[in-house]
Amino acid sequence: QVQLVESGGGLVQPGDSLRLSCVVSGRTFNSYGMAWFRQAPGKEREFIAVIKWTEGATRYADSVKGRFTISRDNNKNTVYLQMNRLKPEDTAVYYCAREIAGRAGLSVDGADYDYWGQGTQVTVSS
């Protein structure tokens, strides 16, 4: 059984930083891409960033490019999302997800991910 557990969310002011973590347990994920998505109230789920586990290649949504950084620690089975210069429009529940085995990788489509965490709330407000 694969489990994804996010942490690190909270209430911050505009311009602040946060680092989200996602610990993956269960079967090895060394061959899978890992991504972050977010969903704000009343809005559709939005792709944020993805990383190929073995190669380290990454892809970002335009809305966060240059401000957010996705990374991973293979030894800790953990993927991170460093969020800098946060804006009120970044307020959402953030989810990590594991890509379905055999996919090409770096997908921005949530349908290409089969395991999801429970989410962590990020609120950016003054």
Side-chain angles (χ1 to χ4, degrees), residues 74-94:
N74 291 358
N75 292 329
K76 295 183 178 180
N77 287 0
T78 301
V79 61
Y80 302 99
L81 185 68
Q82 178 66 43
M83 305 185 295
N84 298 329
R85 303 196 305 277
L86 282 160
K87 305 175 182 179
E89 51 263 44
D90 294 319
T91 295
V93 177
Y94 284 71

Side-chain angles (χ1 to χ4, degrees), residues 3 26 41 43-44 69 71 76 80 82 89 91 103 107-108 110 113 116 121:
Q3 285 189 314
K43 295 188 176 181
E44 293 187 353
T69 303
S71 62
K76 295 183 178 180
Y80 302 99
Q82 178 66 43
E89 51 263 44
T91 295
R103 298 300 169 101
S107 173
V108 304
Y113 295 83
W116 295 78
Q121 176 71 46

Side-chain angles (χ1 to χ4, degrees), residues 18-30:
L18 274 177
R19 189 178 79 158
L20 305 183
S21 300
C22 174
V23 178
V24 183
S25 61
R27 297 183 64 182
T28 179
F29 61 101
N30 286 342

Side-chain angles (χ1 to χ4, degrees), residues 3-53:
Q3 285 189 314
L4 284 66
V5 179
E6 304 99 334
S7 62
L11 172 63
V12 297
Q13 295 187 339
D16 285 351
S17 298
L18 274 177
R19 189 178 79 158
L20 305 183
S21 300
C22 174
V23 178
V24 183
S25 61
R27 297 183 64 182
T28 179
F29 61 101
N30 286 342
S31 300
Y32 301 98
M34 294 294 299
W36 288 94
F37 290 77
R38 68 186 180 189
Q39 187 166 22
K43 295 188 176 181
E44 293 187 353
R45 183 175 59 197
E46 176 188 14
F47 164 80
I48 297 300
V50 59
I51 186 168
K52 279 193 172 182
W53 203 260

